[in-house]
Amino acid sequence: MKLDPSPDVPAVPDFTVPEREGGYARGKAGHERILRAALDILIEEGYRALTMRRIAARCGLRPGNLSYYFPTKDALVRDLLEAIISSYEAEFGLIVADVSLSPEARLEKICVLIMEDIGTKKTTRIFPELWALSNHDGFVNERLQELYDRARVSLELLIAMINPALPLQARKDLSLFISASMEGLTVFAGYEKPFRGRMPALERIATRSFLHMVKTLGPKG
Amino acid sequence: MKLDPSPDVPAVPDFTVPEREGGYARGKAGHERILRAALDILIEEGYRALTMRRIAARCGLRPGNLSYYFPTKDALVRDLLEAIISSYEAEFGLIVADVSLSPEARLEKICVLIMEDIGTKKTTRIFPELWALSNHDGFVNERLQELYDRARVSLELLIAMINPALPLQARKDLSLFISASMEGLTVFAGYEKPFRGRMPALERIATRSFLHMVKTLGPKG
Amino acid sequence: MKLDPSPDVPAVPDFTVPEREGGYARGKAGHERILRAALDILIEEGYRALTMRRIAARCGLRPGNLSYYFPTKDALVRDLLEAIISSYEAEFGLIVADVSLSPEARLEKICVLIMEDIGTKKTTRIFPELWALSNHDGFVNERLQELYDRARVSLELLIAMINPALPLQARKDLSLFISASMEGLTVFAGYEKPFRGRMPALERIATRSFLHMVKTLGPKG
Amino acid sequence: MKLDPSPDVPAVPDFTVPEREGGYARGKAGHERILRAALDILIEEGYRALTMRRIAARCGLRPGNLSYYFPTKDALVRDLLEAIISSYEAEFGLIVADVSLSPEARLEKICVLIMEDIGTKKTTRIFPELWALSNHDGFVNERLQELYDRARVSLELLIAMINPALPLQARKDLSLFISASMEGLTVFAGYEKPFRGRMPALERIATRSFLHMVKTLGPKG
DNA sequence: AATGAATGAGCGTTCATTCAT
DNA sequence: TATGAATGAACGCTCATTCAT
C-alpha cells in the first residue's frame, strides 16, 4: 500500500503502510487516512504540531476515535515514522536496477536522484525532524540507521564495481561519506532553502567529487 | 562572557551571553544560569522537553520566577538560540587566522576542526534541533543561515587562495558543498552515532576530496 | 429553553439558552449547566470571581472539561452575557401586549414591572456588572444598548398613544429619560440596598412623574 | 490636597488625598502619585486592569516598592476609593451655597451640574465600577451610600424650601428619586455613550420633571 | 466505527506579596 | 525609599487518554 503526503505532492519515495492481516477493509483505509493526515501535519507544521487533536481534526474524526485505530499517540507516531522510513527504503531498492547503464552512470544517477529528492518539501521537512528525534528516541534512531544502511548498500555495490581493488572498509567509509555528504545539503539547498537554486551546480560538484574519490581511492584507504 | 553547557562538556564553541551590568550578585548570573539550564535540557532531552517548569527546576527556581528574567518562553528560547548560534560564530572567526600554515593546510585544519566539533555531544544534539526548528521558525532559519554564511566565508577565502582562477560563483558553490558535506556527517558520525569511530577515516576522505575539488575545478565550474 | 439563576430565585426575566439538538442526555444539559453555574457565581460573587476553575467546581466538572463545552473563557462569558441579555429582551417584548388596559395604565404597569425587577437579586447584581463591563468591552456595550433600545420601543409606543402631538425626538428623549430614571434606582433601592423598603413609594413618585411628563410635554420638546 | 485623574482631565470633582500626619514630605507625594496612577488605570482600563504591577509601572516604580507605601493591594484600593468618594463629597458641599439664586434656580443648577459631571470620562467610568463593587464589598457599599446620603442633603434642603408642606419622608423619597434618576443617565448619556448628545435635552426634561414633582407633591406623598 | 463526555497532568503566564539589600 | 529577586497560588488552556454509549 502506498501513501502520499496528500494530494499533488510528487513524493519520490511514497509512504508504505504495512498490510494488516485480518483487519477490516475500512479499518485499513482508516489507518491510512490517519497516517496521511499525520504526515501532512508533520510536513506542514512540524513535530510539535503533531497532536492527536490536530490529526483527528485533519481527517474529520473526533480525538476519542483515534484510539480505536491507534491505542496511544506513541503507537501512531511509531507507525507513521515506520511508514515514512519504509517508503524511502522501498524507493532506494529500485534505483540501481537499471543494468543498461554503466556503474559510473548508475552511481551518478542514484546520487542525482537522492539530491533531487532532498529538494522536495516532504524530504526537506521530515528528515530534520527524524534526525532531531533520533537523538532522544532509540526506535527512531535504529530505524533511521537501518534506512541509511540499506541505502548505502547500493552505493557500496556500485563502488565495488567501479573500483574492485578497494577494501571493504574503505568502500563502506566512502559510501558513508557520499551518503552523508548529500544529506547535508538538505539544510542548505532543500525546499525553500536559500541555495535551492544552486542544487544543479551542487549536483555536478557532488557527482564529480564522488566519482573521483571512488576511482582514485587506493587500497590503503 | 562564556557559557558552557554545564560542567565538563568540552564545548568547542562556547555560549556567549551578552554582559549585563548592574544588579545584585545573586541575580546577575540569573540570565546565564537559566540559559545554561535550558541549554542542558536541550542537549540532554531535546526541544520537546524544554519547558519553563523544567528549566526552572533545573536551576532551582520556581516557574513564576523565570518570567522575572524572561518575560515569555519565546524570549527565553530566542535568547538561548541566539547565544548558541553566536558562540559558534565567535568560534569560526578565529580559525583561519593562523598564517604560518599554507592555505591547503589551513583548509584541512578548518575542516578537521569542524568535523571534530560535529562529534561533540553539544553539536550533535543541538544542530538537528536547529535544522528542524528552522523549517517552521523564521527567526531560527535566518539566524542559522547567517551562521553558515559566516562560516563559509573562511572556506571561500581559502579556496580563492588555493585556486585563484576559480570564478566567484564556483567558489561559493564549492564552499557550500564542502560545508554541507561535513554537516551531513552529524547524523552518522556524531556523538553516540553508529559511525562515531569512523570519523578519523571520514576526515581523511573528506579533506582529500575537498582539496582535490578545490584544486581541479576549472574556471567553467 | 429557560434558565433560572439556580434554585428558588424568582427571576422575572429568565435566561434563554438556544436549544442544542443531538448529543447524549448527560452532555445535552452541559452548556446550560455551566452557564447556570457561571450566572450564579456572577450574581453571588461578582465578575472578578468568574473564573473557569470556579465555574467548573460549581457544576462538578474539572477545569479542563469546560473547554470541551466552551473553547475559551471569552466564548463562555459571551454566551453567558448573551443569554442574560436575551432573556431580558424576551421579557420586555411581552409586557405591553395587554390591550385591555388604557395606554396610561399600561405605561404605569410596565414601569412598575421594571422597578420590581430591579429589586430582584439577579437584576441588582448583574446590571452594575454589565454597566461596568460595557465601558471597556465593545461586545457588552453593543448588546446592552441593543437591550435598552428594544426596551424603550414599548415606552415610545405608549407615549405616542398617550400624547400623539409629541414629536418623534421628544418621544425618544422622554422614553430614554424614563428608562434611565428607573435604572438609576438599582443602586439605591435594589436587592439589599438601603432604600429597598422605599421602592413602593418610589414607584408611585416615578409613575406619577413619568405620566405627567408624557401628558404635558409640548410639541416643542 | 487635591488629586486629578492625571493631566488635562477637567475633573469637576477633584480627588482629595487625606493628609497624613507625621509622614515625610516625599512620602505624601508618593502616595498621591500612586493613587493618581491607579485612578488613571481604573478610568482607562477598568477595575480588572487595576493590578499592582500596572500601577507600579504607570508611576515608574517597581512592584515591590508599592508595598512601602501601601502594605497590601487592598489598602491601596481602599485609599483610592476613599479618595475618589471623598472628592465627590467635597464637591457637593459647595454647590448650594449660592444664596443669590432662588431655591428653584438652585435646584435646577445643582441638577444640571450633576448631569454634566455624569458626562465626564471620570464619572462615567468610575461610578459603574463602584456600583458593581458595592454589591460584593461592604466597605465600598457603605462609603458609596454615605456619599449619596450627603449629596441628597442638598436636594432635601432645597425641596424643603420650595415646598415646605411636604413631610420629611416624602422629601427624602423625592430627593432619592431625583438623585437616582440622574445617576441612571450615566449608562445612556455618559462619556462616549450613545445618547451623549441628548444630554442637554435630558437635562431640560429632568429639571422640569423634578421641579414639577417638588412643587405638586402633596403632604400625603 | 464513532461520538460525547470526562479526567488529570501539564503548559506558559500573571498575580500579590515578601524580603534582603 | 527603592531595587532585585523570589515565592506560591491561581489563572486560562491544551494535551493524551479513557470509556460508556
Side-chain angles (χ1 to χ4, degrees), chain C residues 173 176-177, chain D residues 115 185 189 195 198-206:
Chain C
D173 289 345
L176 177 60
F177 174 75
Chain D
M115 284 186 276
L185 289 171
F195 301 101
R198 304 307 302 157
M199 191 56 110
L202 292 164
E203 287 172 14
R204 261 172 277 132
I205 293 175

Side-chain angles (χ1 to χ4, degrees), chain C residues 2-15 32-41 43-44 58 87-88 120-123 126:
Chain C
K2 293 265 186 162
L3 175 58
D4 278 332
S6 64
D8 46 70
V9 178
V12 174
D14 294 327
F15 283 64
E32 194 185 330
R33 209 166 92 236
I34 292 165
L35 290 181
R36 200 192 307 269
L39 176 63
D40 286 352
I41 292 168
I43 291 171
E44 300 297 337
R58 182 135 194 154
S87 73
Y88 279 93
T120 63
K121 186 177 191 178
K122 190 177 77 169
T123 295
I126 281 181

Side-chain angles (χ1 to χ4, degrees), chain C residues 150-207:
Chain C
R150 205 176 291 195
R152 282 194 308 276
V153 167
S154 306
L155 295 178
E156 289 174 30
L157 217 69
L158 291 169
I159 292 172
M161 292 167 77
I162 299 170
N163 185 350
L166 214 53
L168 177 66
Q169 185 58 254
R171 227 156 47 199
K172 284 187 170 297
D173 289 345
L174 189 48
S175 66
L176 177 60
F177 174 75
I178 290 172
S179 175
S181 206
M182 293 186 293
E183 294 299 305
L185 291 170
T186 310
V187 186
F188 302 93
Y191 179 79
E192 283 180 342
K193 294 297 174 187
F195 302 100
R196 180 77 194 91
R198 304 308 301 157
M199 192 55 111
L202 291 165
E203 286 173 15
R204 261 172 278 131
I205 293 176
T207 52

Side-chain angles (χ1 to χ4, degrees), chain C residues 132 136, chain D residues 40-50 125 129:
Chain C
H136 304 284
Chain D
D40 285 352
I41 292 167
L42 187 56
I43 292 171
E44 300 297 336
E45 308 179 63
Y47 189 79
R48 283 172 64 200
L50 196 63
R125 292 285 172 86
E129 301 284 1

Side-chain angles (χ1 to χ4, degrees), chain B:
Chain B
M1 178 188 287
K2 294 264 185 162
L3 175 57
D4 279 331
S6 64
D8 46 72
V9 177
V12 174
D14 295 326
F15 283 65
T16 35
V17 172
E19 293 284 343
R20 295 176 186 263
E21 67 283 347
Y24 295 7
R26 184 91 174 276
K28 205 177 183 179
H31 286 83
E32 194 186 329
R33 209 167 91 235
I34 292 165
L35 289 180
R36 201 192 307 270
L39 176 64
D40 285 352
I41 292 168
L42 187 57
I43 291 171
E44 300 297 336
E45 308 180 62
Y47 189 79
R48 284 172 62 202
L50 197 63
T51 71
M52 294 296 267
R53 281 168 158 79
R54 247 187 266 229
I55 296 168
R58 184 137 194 152
C59 52
L61 295 175
R62 311 284 165 168
N65 200 11
L66 276 194
S67 66
Y68 173 78
Y69 295 93
F70 300 94
T72 64
K73 180 187 180 182
D74 211 69
L76 190 159
V77 170
R78 256 156 233 289
D79 276 14
L80 173 62
L81 298 178
E82 177 61 35
I84 290 172
I85 292 175
S86 295
S87 74
Y88 279 94
E89 277 177 340
E91 196 64 25
F92 286 134
L94 305 172
I95 288 180
V96 232
D98 186 353
V99 274
S100 72
L101 299 171
S102 71
E104 285 89 345
R106 270 191 273 167
L107 180 62
E108 195 177 326
K109 188 181 170 191
I110 196 176
C111 288
V112 166
L113 275 173
I114 289 174
M115 283 184 277
E116 279 178 357
D117 176 66
I118 281 170
T120 64
K121 188 177 191 179
K122 190 177 76 168
T123 296
T124 298
R125 292 284 172 86
I126 281 181
F127 274 79
E129 301 284 1
L130 296 178
W131 298 337
L133 283 175
S134 75
N135 271 327
H136 304 284
D137 183 323
F139 170 78
V140 176
N141 195 33
E142 280 172 38
R143 239 9 230 96
L144 193 58
Q145 295 298 340
E146 257 180 66
L147 164 65
Y148 284 127
D149 284 349
R150 205 175 291 196
R152 281 195 308 277
V153 167
S154 307
L155 295 178
E156 288 173 30
L157 218 68
L158 291 169
I159 291 172
M161 292 167 77
I162 299 170
N163 185 350
L166 215 53
L168 178 67
Q169 186 57 255
R171 226 155 50 199
K172 285 188 170 295
D173 289 346
L174 190 49
S175 67
L176 177 60
F177 175 75
I178 290 172
S179 174
S181 204
M182 293 186 293
E183 294 299 304
L185 290 170
T186 310
V187 186
F188 301 94
Y191 179 80
E192 283 181 340
K193 294 298 175 185
F195 302 100
R196 181 76 194 91
R198 305 307 303 156
M199 190 57 108
L202 292 164
E203 286 173 16
R204 260 173 278 131
I205 293 175
T207 50
R208 185 169 150 182
S209 163
F210 298 157
L211 267 175
H212 173 260
M213 290 307 290
V214 169
K215 285 194 254 187
T216 62
L217 221 54
K220 294 177 297 184

Side-chain angles (χ1 to χ4, degrees), chain C residues 108-166:
Chain C
E108 193 176 327
K109 189 181 170 191
I110 196 175
C111 289
V112 166
L113 276 173
I114 288 173
M115 283 184 278
E116 278 178 358
D117 175 65
I118 281 170
T120 63
K121 186 177 191 178
K122 190 177 77 169
T123 295
T124 299
R125 293 284 172 87
I126 281 181
F127 273 79
E129 300 284 1
L130 296 178
W131 298 336
L133 283 175
S134 75
N135 271 327
H136 304 284
D137 182 325
F139 170 78
V140 176
N141 194 34
E142 281 173 37
R143 238 11 228 95
L144 192 58
Q145 295 298 339
E146 259 180 64
L147 164 65
Y148 284 127
D149 283 350
R150 205 176 291 195
R152 282 194 308 276
V153 167
S154 306
L155 295 178
E156 289 174 30
L157 217 69
L158 291 169
I159 292 172
M161 292 167 77
I162 299 170
N163 185 350
L166 214 53

